[in-house]
Amino acid sequence: MLTCAETPDAAAVRRPKPPQFSLAHLTVLGCAPPEATYIAARAGYEFVSYRTIYMGLPNEPNYALAHNPQMLRETRAALAETGVGAHDIELARVADGVDVATYRPALETAAELGVRHVISSVWTSDADFARDAFGQLCDLAAGYGIAVDLEFVTWSAVTCLEEAAGVIRGSGRSNCGLMIDTLHYDRSRANPADMDSLPRDWFHFAHFCDAPAEIPSSREELIHTAREARLDPGEGGIRLDAILNHLPVSVYSLEIPNLERVKELGYEEHARRCVAHARAYVAAHPSPAARTA
């Protein structure tokens, strides 16, 4: 009920905004950025996320837009035609033997497309190198108006919330944040309340997915689930509601690779079901931590 001094508009400002959703690269791995953009639009996403930094992994498509002028033109046209926003790119790894300066073309191209976030992760055991390289990456990205969002991965060199927070603090940079992936958060056995001790402005967006409740005991099994067999929100055993209650973000990037479902449904129908289930889950579990502005 409104008070006498409160207008309907003021009450609306106090209510949490509904989250927006981005279609993550791994969910439609076989789709180049232009196709992923059109799928995101038809399936009802507000944003799309690209992997434009080629890592040379087995069976990995090369979508390095900075080095493919034709694909870049097609991506720019798809974004303009659909109105879908380009939300983030990946993956700017901090790793032994990798010079973060080589990410400049990808960051420049991303900025041209309106991207404001790049995901990073750490794959070196040299803590000093990791801190310094991450700081250099932040400085590079800052020149393009891009924030660097660090993701901890349970089989990387930075495996948990505490370690990731240490890298961010150690960098001393302000254009960085902590990107929570609900799968990795669950697999790291972190307490969702641990996020409450960290600055709220570190949390820009999150990867949102579900998985079986049982946590794999081997690295190989962790990787298999993460890359090939994630589940839609509400289908698995992760206490997603507990995580969301402490996660003050307004954009969820749906990173839900599932090879069996893609074979059965195709990429577009898989993407459509992912976002339908995600919206239904969030609607049924409203988060008090959601941003109101």
Side-chain angles (χ1 to χ4, degrees):
M1 178 179 296
L2 302 181
T3 66
C4 293
E6 196 171 39
T7 66
D9 287 343
V13 169
R14 292 189 295 106
R15 287 194 291 269
K17 291 182 178 180
Q20 295 180 302
F21 295 91
S22 186
L23 176 60
H25 161 79
L26 281 182
T27 306
V28 288
L29 176 63
C31 301
E35 183 181 3
T37 305
Y38 287 117
I39 287 176
R42 291 193 295 264
Y45 292 77
E46 289 83 8
F47 299 102
V48 63
S49 304
Y50 304 133
R51 177 173 288 181
T52 59
I53 298 174
Y54 181 59
M55 298 190 295
L57 298 175
N59 302 315
E60 178 192 9
N62 187 345
Y63 300 143
L65 295 179
H67 306 293
N68 189 327
Q70 178 62 30
M71 188 180 291
L72 177 58
R73 284 193 294 270
E74 293 172 357
T75 301
R76 189 180 288 115
L79 291 168
E81 180 180 338
T82 63
V84 170
H87 188 269
D88 61 273
I89 64 165
E90 59 176 69
L91 175 66
R93 295 175 298 161
V94 172
D96 294 321
V98 174
D99 181 356
V100 297
T102 60
Y103 299 140
R104 181 181 296 278
L107 293 170
E108 182 176 10
T109 301
E112 292 173 3
L113 296 176
V115 170
R116 290 295 174 262
H117 301 275
V118 58
I119 300 174
S120 181
S121 54
V122 177
W123 302 85
T124 174
S125 58
D126 186 335
D128 291 337
F129 171 75
R131 180 198 62 232
D132 294 344
F134 184 79
Q136 292 165 15
L137 175 61
C138 291
D139 292 342
L140 182 62
Y144 299 100
I146 291 176
V148 182
D149 293 273
L150 182 62
E151 176 183 19
F152 64 85
V153 178
T154 47
W155 63 88
S156 69
V158 171
T159 64
C160 65
L161 185 73
E162 181 180 4
E163 293 173 357
V167 173
I168 294 172
R169 287 196 180 99
S171 75
R173 282 14 179 231
S174 60
N175 67 316
C176 54
L178 182 57
M179 207 284 293
I180 299 296
D181 181 304
T182 55
L183 176 72
H184 297 313
Y185 203 91
D186 175 75
R187 276 25 184 169
S188 72
R189 304 179 190 275
N191 183 338
D194 291 345
M195 285 186 278
D196 295 346
S197 65
L198 301 176
R200 300 290 85 190
D201 59 4
W202 280 12
F203 300 95
H204 303 141
F205 69 104
H207 277 167
F208 190 35
C209 70
D210 210 336
E214 183 177 356
I215 298 178
S217 58
S218 71
R219 183 177 188 270
E220 291 72 23
E221 291 174 308
L222 287 169
I223 293 174
H224 170 74
T225 300
R227 293 182 177 171
E228 302 181 10
R230 300 195 192 200
L231 301 176
D232 296 354
E235 292 186 325
I238 296 178
R239 283 295 310 279
L240 295 174
D241 56 337
I243 297 175
L244 299 189
N245 283 344
H246 299 273
L247 189 57
V249 302
S250 56
V251 175
Y252 297 121
S253 182
L254 301 186
E255 186 174 78
I256 312 177
N258 189 303
L259 298 190
E260 291 301 317
R261 289 187 179 174
V262 167
K263 289 178 183 177
E264 175 189 355
L265 303 171
Y267 280 121
E268 184 166 335
E269 182 59 25
H270 173 53
R272 183 176 286 108
R273 293 191 184 191
C274 288
V275 74
H277 289 150
R279 289 191 192 279
Y281 186 93
V282 171
H285 302 83
S287 169
R291 286 179 176 164
T292 58

